[in-house]
Each structure stands twice: as structure tokens, then as C-alpha cells.
Amino acid sequence: PARLPPLPLSLCPLSPSSSLAMKTVLASRTISVPEGVEIEIKAREVTVKGPRGTLFKSFKHINMDLKKLVGEDGQVTIRLDVWFASRKQLACVRTIMSHIDNMFIGVTRGFMYKMRFVYSHFPINVAITGSTVEIRNFLGEKRVRKVQLCEGVEYVRSTSVKDQIELSGNDLSLVSLSAAKIQQATNIRKKDLRKFLDGIYVSEKGPIPEPEE
């Protein structure tokens, strides 16, 4: 008997692009709003206000339901619902809640990145002019490397630790981006990286520690 031709990939039941691919009916996750923090949600745009300032983030690129709920005890929670989500859409659920949690930490405590200078012979000189970080004498070069700090990021030269700078701010993405730009400004090219280890590297990062009582 004549054999039937194979099904097209788009109609195959095991194809991830077909309509028969397995989807989760409902994926939900909640997070509590800490005390002293106000949150406003409008059309998947989140505004968080706290003692340190205000942060805004838009999640319009993701299909989801984001709601602000108030319990009987007055506790405010945020609930995220994603209906009929594929595997990639499910991965966004925890990511968005992590973004919102980082906004809570940012407006209450803030984030700090500590960076250390590493050099074997030529000392690295770092200074700030306005909001521009200037790196001089890297590997003995005369060229001045300039890095523009992101908006809302504060630069402090550590007094207790030699050759260390501290970057702090409310928005984690802006603080980490500023640290990455400083580190990438001291990338070494066309040399053996196992031998030439000079640069400015992140040594410690996380929320600003609360003052000890």
C-alpha cells in the first residue's frame, strides 16, 4: 500500500509552534508590599514610592493581569496572573515579581556596588567631574577614559578601604549598568588576560546595609 506523506511541522502535535503545545491554564504569584511603601498600578505600569524616592517601570510588553489587593487586615499585596501561558511566558512571572521586589528594596534601602582597583605596576587614578568618572594612568596610558554615570547614581570614594569606589542608588538596573560601564572601560585588548589582570572590578554588591543600632 502507498505510504502517506509526513505531516508538515506546523501541524505536528509535538511541534512547539502548533496550537496543541501544552500551556498552563493559570499561573499566579503574589508579593506583599512592605510598610512605608506606596504602589500604584495602571495598565501594567508600576509606580513605587518610598522614603528614598520614586521608581517607575513599565511591563506593557508582557500579556498579564497585575492587580493591587488589600486584605481584611489591611495588608496590601500584588497579584500577577498569566493565563494560558507558554513556557517562555511562564518564565516572565517570577522575573516581573523580582523586578517589583527590587523596586521595594530600592525605595526603602537602596542598592550599592563596591568596586576595587587592580593593578600590578601603574596605579589607576580615578576622579569624578560632575557625573563623569575619569580613569587615568591605566596601564601607564596617557588616554583618559570617561564614563558617564546613569541618572540617580551616586559616586563615593571609600575612605576606609584603599583603591575602592562605591556606587549607590535606588534603581538596581541603573546602578549595575554604571558599574558595568566602568568595568568595561578598563577592558584589555590584544594582550594575554591571564597575565594582564589590571582593571576595576566589582567586589561586592547588594542592598545598602541597614545602620546598626
Side-chain angles (χ1 to χ4, degrees):
R3 298 182 61 184
L4 294 173
L7 279 172
L9 185 61
S10 60
L11 298 178
C12 180
L14 298 179
S15 169
S17 61
S18 74
S19 60
L20 298 177
M22 191 181 75
K23 291 189 175 183
T24 304
V25 176
L26 175 62
S28 296
R29 190 176 282 267
T30 60
I31 185 173
S32 299
V33 179
E35 293 183 6
V37 175
E38 299 178 7
I39 183 169
E40 182 181 342
I41 300 173
K42 185 177 182 181
R44 288 176 291 178
E45 292 182 340
V46 180
T47 304
V48 178
K49 298 180 182 178
R52 287 178 58 93
T54 303
L55 289 177
F56 171 83
K57 200 174 285 286
S58 174
F59 300 106
K60 281 183 173 290
H61 58 288
I62 297 172
N63 294 325
M64 61 176 182
D65 290 334
L66 197 59
K67 297 180 180 178
K68 175 181 176 182
L69 305 175
V70 181
E72 296 179 355
D73 56 351
Q75 176 63 48
V76 181
T77 57
I78 305 301
R79 191 178 76 189
L80 171 65
D81 296 332
V82 177
W83 294 86
F84 301 104
S86 63
R87 185 171 178 176
K88 285 189 175 181
Q89 290 170 324
L90 280 176
C92 297
V93 176
R94 185 178 174 88
T95 301
I96 293 172
M97 299 311 279
S98 297
H99 277 305
I100 296 176
D101 188 36
N102 287 335
M103 293 171 75
F104 293 157
I105 297 175
V107 298
T108 53
R109 296 171 59 186
F111 292 95
M112 176 181 292
Y113 273 58
K114 295 182 180 180
M115 307 187 75
R116 296 290 300 272
F117 308 161
V118 177
Y119 53 86
S120 58
H121 186 270
F122 295 102
I124 301 174
N125 299 326
V126 179
I128 187 167
T129 305
S131 60
T132 303
V133 177
E134 298 180 349
I135 304 169
R136 291 182 170 86
N137 200 37
F138 178 70
L139 291 179
E141 296 177 4
K142 297 295 184 182
R143 182 166 76 90
V144 179
R145 290 165 166 82
K146 296 182 179 181
V147 177
Q148 187 73 27
L149 291 179
C150 298
E151 185 179 357
V153 178
E154 296 180 2
Y155 169 101
V156 175
R157 185 71 179 257
S158 301
T159 55
S160 57
V161 181
K162 183 174 181 277
D163 294 333
Q164 176 175 286
I165 60 175
E166 298 175 358
L167 303 177
S168 59
N170 298 347
D171 195 332
L172 174 61
S173 58
L174 295 182
V175 177
S176 58
L177 177 60
S178 300
K181 287 163 67 176
I182 292 176
Q183 180 171 335
Q184 290 174 357
T186 58
N187 280 350
I188 298 176
R189 297 175 178 83
K190 300 182 181 179
K191 287 185 173 64
D192 188 353
L193 300 181
R194 296 168 297 179
K195 178 70 174 176
F196 292 85
L197 301 174
D198 294 30
I200 303 177
Y201 302 100
V202 175
S203 61
E204 190 179 333
K205 61 183 179 180
I208 297 175
E210 296 178 350
E212 299 179 357
E213 296 181 357

